[in-house]
Amino acid sequence: MKVVNQYVPSVDGKGIMLGRPAFTDDLAEPNSLIVKVLRSPHAFAKIKGIDTKAAEALEGVELVLTHKNVPQKAFTRAGQGYPEPSPHDKFILDRYVRYVGDEVAAVAAVDEKTAEEALRLIEVDYEVLEPVLDLETAIDHSSVIHPEEGIREMFPIGFEPKRNIAASYAMHVGDVDETLKSCDQVVRETFYTQAQAHAMMEPHTVNARMDYQNRLLIYSSTQTPFHVRRILSQALDVPISRIRVIKPRVGGGFGGKQALHGEMLVALTTLRTRKPAKMVFSRQEVFESSYSRHPMRIDIALGAMKDGTLKAMDCKILSDTGAYGEHALTVFMVAGSKVLPLYNKVDAVRFGGQVVYTNKTPAGAYRGYGAIQGNFALESAIDMLCEQLEIDPIQFRQKNMIAEGESSPIFEIMGEGTEGTAMTMETCKLDTCVQRGLELIDWHNKYPRRILPNGRIKSVGMAIAMQGSGIPYIDMGAATIKLNDDGFYNLMVGATDIGQGSDTILTQIAAEVLMTTVDRVIVYSSDSDLTPFDTGAYASSTTYVSGNAVLATAEKMKLMLLEEAAKALGCARESVRFDGQVFTTDSEETITLSQLSNRLYYNEDQQQLTATASYVGTKSPPPFMAGLIEIDLDPETGEFDIVDYVSVVDCGTAINPKLAIGQIEGGIVQGLGMAHFEDVKYTKQGRLITNDFLTYKIPTQQSVKNLQTEIVHSYEASGPFGAKSVGEIGIDTPPAALANAVYHATGVRITSLPITAEKRMAGITAKKGEQQS
Amino acid sequence: MKITFMLNDRKVTWDALPGESLLDFLRRHHVVSVKKGCDGSTCGVCTVLMNHKPVLACTVLAMRCTGEHIHTVEGLADEVEKISEAFGIEGADQCGFCNPGIALSLYALKRENSNAEASEIRQYLEGHLCRCSGYQAQVKAALRYIGGGQS
Ligand code: FES
Ligand code: FES
């Protein structure tokens, strides 16, 4: 291959570093109205009265929106396929406010200062209600977070709002209780995972204007432009044909932008005022009023025989979706469906639980999407089980983990809120990942720990993980390729580049098929008027789903070119060869692509050549990885340094190995943040404490000393040029790998994230106490 | 009120609002390479060079720039292209929201210390948060740029 699986720099890296206008706010109309939101100071309250007269009278204020003057139609902000597996439980503005930071009213004014002043002039009379702030007491709490009428599930997801349940689910294979009883060893443990903030560097940003055809034109920093268009149309009752959504360059999303955040209010402002309007979330709003990761309580039981055969897995989860049920069911299901199949040889497996509402910042999609939570519990519990069985945890994994050619009944049972899709692992190099990971970190010389002369302890830990590649039969990607004169191409894709490099890798795929170079294929993505449909950047779908669409489109274009070349050369299509630049007949007559294109546009047989194709997956081949960590811990304080993190990944053939490694490493470092210090915290009254980068720390240049990342040789026949996905898998292993390493260093098993120095110290102190008594 | 200063080696006179930060001021005048990530001196994406030293534009009042030299990536295209080449080779580009700020700091670091090593680079860039990259590729790219194209 000449372009795919080769070094190709990002197609847009230079322009962006040079500061060319590319991001949403760079493209706002200079005179846009500024939209600002009045946010709730209470975790739960009913708005008894709201007086906006003074705000409306203020000079420079163009519009004030409250629940009284906006359409009252429930929708979900979750940018998912339609009908959504998330409950329709959100109104543009509502009589209830359900978390500190929830929207009370919005103001559009000529500048920031006026908008802020207007917010201060709005008087709200709240009836403060008792909030629900603990996921474990949410069900059947005396406060009902969604008592309102008009909310609904689109299909059965176990939605019981009167009980504060957003979704619930249960499945089983075999008899779990009986199998556990028959096991030689059973481990039962409860794990807790915390909320994590996405903390993408570009805040949520949107601007709108009426264009010269009097249509609503929206620029949004979204991961799902086509879903945004649909949801706006439905909630605002505007024909979808009157809306155009453009996703410019997005400054990171990680799932946080797989939803509507400011779009609804800005669109409404422009529709009402006919003036351009914009909103850029402040950093506080990003933390407080967008999304974070679903916290979970995970009760897990594993049963095995003395010989190290894993027999049963039982997993019960209580997940916290916060004030609204976006992604509630699907994140919860992924905690089982993309975790438990790792150990596919068990006799019995059970998974179920509820997703509850609380009066906190809504949880939403976040890289890993449940898998990181489930992985922490499962891969910690596997190590605990091995300890009890006195079996080497590596050998245990090697014996029980999924392998190429195998399947798991879970794939068929569990899908995205619906049934899943049966599949066999055509590629699964997990064994190679583990083997290579052990070599790279020098496991056998380091496991489990070494005490250094200075008293510090160096230890290692590991975990394995899997993810998916898109949502079969649901996620659709499409592409169009247009031939231009002189023989270069435009590639139009609905796929959404949010910084992960999809524009680049999709260009590579097209260039490879058309046997040309990346600079001859000009990519344009995510414009609801101009590019074909794509569900968007989520569920690790772009390389596999959109990539397959581009592959099919480029192949169509190639056939069209051969057809036209044959006409030009006066022979049959079968007797024309094409090398990307020159068409040659059997009798060695030639025409160049450039000549052919110019002929098509200027001289003879004039016509536009355009090819379009779509792709919907019929399966979701999982990428796999082994993650291994080495830490250097001070047993006096519990402090540690991360010395090394080794990732060995089976993502199929990487279309762009350097960018794929970037995806993995970015995921690892985000996962390490979650593993050991990132923690979304609230006061007892439900106010967010961690609402800036001082109170919510994310990893910096100094956080991780060394990353070693390798991609193993693997070829997934159903993927474009053998590729699977790589966007999410990197984030999954750090919590369990770190917990296992800390255990190896200290003998302390930490079952709740983040694994902070305080928790480690408390464990170490307790351990010492035990040893003395 | 009008202020006069040197932007990318050209004298400009622009109006500033009372209390306006250099960041808001530049963006309002459509110098959009300078990004806003936190508006609170904690993320680094608003970095510009003031008299050749990196500063956080959200922390500096526009008024304070009267008569000073401000550089953004637009004014250092030749050097920034070199940095971008290095980022491209190392696969360090992701969303790029942090990149203009990092490029300016790297340019300043190279002028201060043309032998900077990985640990010094990590220290110098510590204020530049990047949520996408995991940082390692950025460090490799920085070494390549500082080493004149070699890694
Ligand atoms: S915007 Fe200036 S440091 Fe974040
Ligand atoms: S590349 Fe996205 S924040 Fe650095």
Side-chain angles (χ1 to χ4, degrees):
Chain A
M1 285 179 288
K2 291 221 170 73
V3 189
V4 157
N5 198 232
Q6 303 295 327
Y7 156 69
V8 172
S10 297
V11 294
D12 39 28
K14 190 165 283 177
I16 283 170
M17 195 177 275
L18 284 163
R20 310 260 158 79
F23 295 87
T24 302
D25 193 51
D26 303 348
L27 306 170
E29 290 258 329
N31 57 344
S32 292
L33 294 176
I34 304 296
V35 180
K36 291 240 171 228
V37 177
L38 181 66
R39 299 194 175 275
S40 170
H42 304 294
F44 192 25
K46 191 172 177 178
I47 298 169
K48 285 200 294 189
I50 183 161
D51 184 350
T52 57
K53 277 192 230 67
E56 277 160 35
L58 186 69
E59 172 148 357
V61 171
E62 299 262 344
L63 183 70
V64 180
L65 296 169
T66 70
H67 69 267
K68 293 192 229 162
N69 63 355
V70 303
Q72 288 294 313
K73 191 161 153 192
F75 63 97
T76 175
R77 297 178 299 180
Q80 296 175 296
Y82 186 79
E84 300 95 340
S86 296
H88 283 209
D89 61 3
K90 176 85 177 78
F91 295 86
I92 299 171
L93 293 167
D94 196 354
R95 276 181 314 132
Y96 287 92
V97 282
R98 298 182 178 81
Y99 67 98
V100 176
D102 204 354
E103 297 144 329
V104 175
V107 158
V110 290
D111 57 28
E112 298 259 339
K113 251 182 86 194
T114 313
E116 270 160 21
E117 177 64 26
L119 291 183
R120 277 190 289 274
L121 294 173
I122 298 175
E123 283 189 32
V124 190
D125 185 9
Y126 294 103
E127 178 186 341
V128 178
L129 304 167
E130 190 199 335
V132 182
L133 295 169
D134 172 15
L135 88 154
E136 293 182 276
T137 57
I139 295 178
D140 297 326
H141 194 282
S142 57
S143 283
V144 175
I145 296 171
H146 284 276
E148 70 279 15
E149 294 298 311
I151 57 175
R152 64 195 174 120
E153 56 192 342
M154 303 302 283
F155 53 85
I157 59 167
F159 180 54
E160 290 181 82
K162 298 285 183 276
R163 302 185 61 206
N164 289 332
I165 296 174
S168 48
Y169 178 79
M171 65 74 84
H172 72 274
V173 179
D175 189 331
V176 169
D177 294 318
E178 279 306 312
T179 313
L180 282 174
K181 261 188 229 155
S182 70
C183 286
D184 294 331
Q185 197 73 52
V186 174
V187 152
R188 285 180 202 279
E189 190 58 75
T190 299
F191 294 88
Y192 290 88
T193 64
Q194 83 280 34
Q196 180 183 22
H198 300 75
M200 69 294 276
M201 283 299 117
E202 181 204 28
H204 302 76
T205 306
V206 54
N207 57 71
R209 68 201 68 172
M210 299 309 291
D211 70 10
Y212 74 102
Q213 294 180 12
N214 204 31
R215 290 167 77 232
L216 179 65
L217 168 58
I218 291 170
Y219 287 88
S220 168
S221 66
T222 179
Q223 294 177 226
T224 56
F226 289 89
H227 294 332
V228 166
R229 182 179 64 167
R230 183 195 77 235
I231 296 165
L232 285 175
S233 155
Q234 288 172 351
L236 297 173
D237 243 333
V238 174
I240 195 162
S241 61
R242 306 306 299 164
I243 304 175
R244 175 180 182 189
V245 177
I246 296 177
K247 171 225 67 91
R249 184 59 172 202
V250 172
F254 318 115
K257 292 172 178 168
Q258 194 196 336
L260 280 77
H261 291 286
E263 286 89 342
M264 207 55 87
L265 294 168
V266 170
L268 200 52
T269 299
T270 293
L271 286 170
R272 295 258 168 104
T273 62
R274 305 266 147 197
K275 293 184 181 167
K278 74 170 198 175
M279 174 141 103
V280 181
F281 271 33
S282 68
R283 185 48 65 180
Q284 180 177 342
E285 286 178 308
V286 175
F287 278 111
E288 199 170 77
S289 304
S290 68
Y291 268 173
S292 55
R293 190 189 290 289
H294 291 83
M296 292 185 185
R297 190 191 77 193
I298 304 174
D299 296 299
I300 199 163
L302 301 178
M305 306 310 286
K306 277 203 202 81
D307 69 350
T309 311
L310 186 66
K311 286 290 208 187
M313 298 189 285
D314 192 9
C315 182
K316 202 169 102 208
I317 297 185
L318 192 62
S319 171
D320 181 353
T321 191
Y324 299 98
E326 289 131 352
H327 303 271
L329 176 67
T330 39
V331 165
F332 165 81
M333 287 184 75
V334 168
S337 65
K338 289 179 185 159
V339 178
L340 299 173
L342 278 171
Y343 299 98
N344 62 327
K345 299 174 197 48
V346 293
D347 293 344
V349 56
R350 183 163 59 194
F351 178 83
Q354 289 95 11
V355 190
V356 300
Y357 287 115
T358 60
N359 292 107
K360 291 184 180 169
T361 297
Y366 191 161
R367 192 183 215 170
Y369 205 80
I372 181 172
Q373 293 98 317
N375 194 279
F376 168 60
L378 178 63
E379 284 294 275
S380 297
I382 290 281
D383 260 36
M384 294 167 74
L385 183 63
C386 292
E387 170 97 13
Q388 293 185 7
L389 288 165
E390 294 179 21
I391 288 180
D392 178 71
I394 302 289
Q395 281 167 11
F396 183 90
R397 285 184 174 86
Q398 285 167 332
K399 178 179 166 106
N400 292 288
M401 70 195 187
I402 192 164
E404 206 155 89
E406 296 180 356
S407 185
S408 160
I410 294 172
F411 294 128
E412 188 170 0
I413 299 170
M414 296 177 72
E416 285 279 306
T418 53
E419 277 171 19
T421 309
M423 59 177 170
T424 304
M425 299 302 97
E426 308 289 343
T427 47
C428 174
K429 307 293 179 202
L430 200 43
D431 47 350
T432 320
C433 294
V434 171
Q435 208 47 53
R436 182 67 185 139
L438 297 176
E439 284 166 28
L440 282 173
I441 207 157
D442 192 17
W443 182 270
H444 295 297
N445 288 315
K446 292 177 175 172
Y447 173 78
R449 91 190 64 79
R450 289 166 300 151
I451 299 172
L452 306 182
N454 61 6
R456 291 178 73 95
I457 302 171
K458 274 190 161 184
S459 71
V460 288
M462 67 90 71
I464 56 173
M466 61 178 285
Q467 199 79 33
S469 301
I471 310 170
Y473 298 105
I474 293 180
D475 281 350
M476 194 271 269
T480 296
I481 293 177
K482 175 165 85 77
L483 176 73
N484 296 294
D485 46 347
D486 196 40
F488 75 102
Y489 308 92
N490 290 111
L491 167 65
M492 274 86 72
V493 288
T496 310
D497 197 325
I498 55 170
Q500 82 283 43
S502 65
D503 282 352
T504 301
I505 66 116
L506 296 176
T507 305
Q508 285 177 266
I509 291 172
E512 182 72 44
V513 175
L514 294 165
M515 297 168 288
T516 186
T517 48
V518 161
D519 60 319
R520 301 287 287 173
V521 180
I522 314 303
V523 66
Y524 181 66
S525 60
S526 314
D527 176 332
S528 68
D529 270 7
L530 300 184
T531 66
F533 184 86
D534 191 288
T535 35
Y538 58 89
S540 290
S541 60
T542 304
T543 302
Y544 186 75
V545 176
S546 313
N548 263 324
V550 170
L551 180 81
T553 309
E555 270 165 358
K556 250 191 192 174
M557 174 54 74
K558 199 160 85 183
L559 283 181
M560 287 176 158
L561 290 171
L562 286 169
E563 195 85 43
E564 293 307 318
K567 261 194 241 166
L569 293 165
C571 65
R573 192 178 88 192
E574 292 66 38
S575 52
V576 181
R577 301 187 302 277
F578 179 44
D579 67 0
Q581 289 182 42
V582 184
F583 299 88
T584 311
T585 65
D586 290 346
S587 50
E588 302 303 319
E589 277 182 80
T590 61
I591 183 171
T592 66
L593 174 64
S594 167
Q595 287 166 338
L596 178 71
S597 312
N598 289 336
R599 181 176 183 272
L600 284 171
Y601 295 125
Y602 298 112
N603 309 123
E604 270 176 80
D605 292 331
Q606 282 103 321
Q607 60 176 306
Q608 172 65 56
L609 289 197
T610 305
T612 295
S614 322
Y615 186 82
V616 187
T618 54
K619 57 181 180 173
S620 177
F624 295 95
M625 78 169 283
L628 303 92
I629 192 172
E630 181 177 12
I631 59 170
D632 176 342
L633 182 137
D634 179 347
E636 295 305 314
T637 62
E639 292 295 344
F640 65 72
D641 285 333
I642 296 166
V643 181
D644 201 0
Y645 203 101
V646 169
S647 310
V648 187
V649 179
D650 167 11
C651 57
T653 306
I655 304 292
N656 187 320
K658 290 244 163 128
L659 292 184
I661 286 172
Q663 283 300 298
I664 297 161
E665 292 185 346
I668 294 294
V669 171
Q670 247 175 46
L672 283 169
M674 167 146 169
H676 82 121
F677 56 85
E678 290 184 39
D679 195 0
V680 170
K681 282 194 190 131
Y682 296 85
T683 62
K684 285 207 170 61
Q685 291 71 39
R687 192 181 56 75
L688 187 71
I689 298 168
T690 46
N691 62 8
D692 58 28
F693 283 129
L694 293 172
T695 50
Y696 189 90
K697 295 275 187 215
I698 64 169
T700 70
Q701 280 280 3
Q702 305 276 29
S703 299
V704 187
K705 296 251 156 45
N706 195 38
L707 299 169
Q708 299 188 65
T709 310
E710 276 191 15
I711 295 170
V712 299
H713 183 72
S714 167
Y715 186 90
E716 168 65 38
S718 69
F721 296 106
K724 300 190 277 188
S725 83
V726 73
E728 293 184 275
I729 181 87
I731 205 166
D732 293 335
T733 57
L738 178 62
N740 292 339
V742 167
Y743 181 79
H744 293 150
T746 60
V748 175
R749 171 58 59 185
I750 294 178
T751 54
S752 72
L753 295 177
I755 303 168
T756 57
E758 299 86 70
K759 284 183 199 165
R760 296 189 296 268
M761 247 352 266
I764 293 168
T765 315
K767 199 95 208 163
K768 278 189 191 149
E770 269 170 40
Q771 281 159 3
Q772 278 158 11
S773 61
Chain B
M1 137 216 24
K2 298 259 182 233
I3 63 168
T4 300
F5 66 110
M6 297 294 289
L7 176 64
N8 295 325
D9 304 318
R10 288 179 54 184
K11 193 169 171 181
V12 295
T13 302
W14 286 345
D15 70 296
L17 303 173
E20 192 171 33
S21 69
L22 177 59
L23 169 58
D24 286 342
F25 171 75
L26 289 172
R27 284 197 69 84
R28 198 164 52 78
H29 289 95
H30 219 67
V31 184
V32 294
S33 67
V34 191
K35 307 296 183 203
K36 187 187 279 194
C38 70
D39 212 12
S41 331
T42 53
C43 76
V45 304
C46 64
T47 300
V48 298
L49 300 183
M50 188 170 184
N51 304 327
H52 307 287
K53 290 252 176 320
V55 297
L56 297 172
C58 67
T59 320
V60 177
L61 284 179
M63 271 178 50
R64 264 206 41 214
C65 299
T66 305
E68 312 286 2
H69 282 266
I70 302 294
H71 282 94
T72 66
V73 286
E74 286 92 337
L76 296 164
D78 289 346
E79 274 314 290
V80 174
E81 286 216 12
K82 285 184 207 155
I83 297 170
S84 172
E85 299 282 321
F87 267 59
I89 291 170
E90 297 298 346
D93 288 304
Q94 288 201 35
C95 82
F97 202 70
C98 62
N99 282 1
I102 290 176
L104 292 170
S105 280
L106 274 181
Y107 166 75
L109 171 60
K110 189 176 179 175
R111 285 169 55 120
E112 280 172 38
N113 175 3
S114 58
N115 302 311
E117 294 174 1
S119 60
E120 293 166 300
I121 291 167
R122 283 194 183 268
Q123 199 169 7
Y124 201 85
L125 295 184
E126 197 181 0
H128 290 275
L129 297 181
C130 172
R131 192 56 154 170
C132 301
S133 70
Y135 299 109
Q136 183 134 314
Q138 287 182 353
V139 175
K140 287 188 194 159
L143 284 168
R144 182 177 285 277
Y145 163 66
I146 289 171
Q150 315 299 308
S151 72

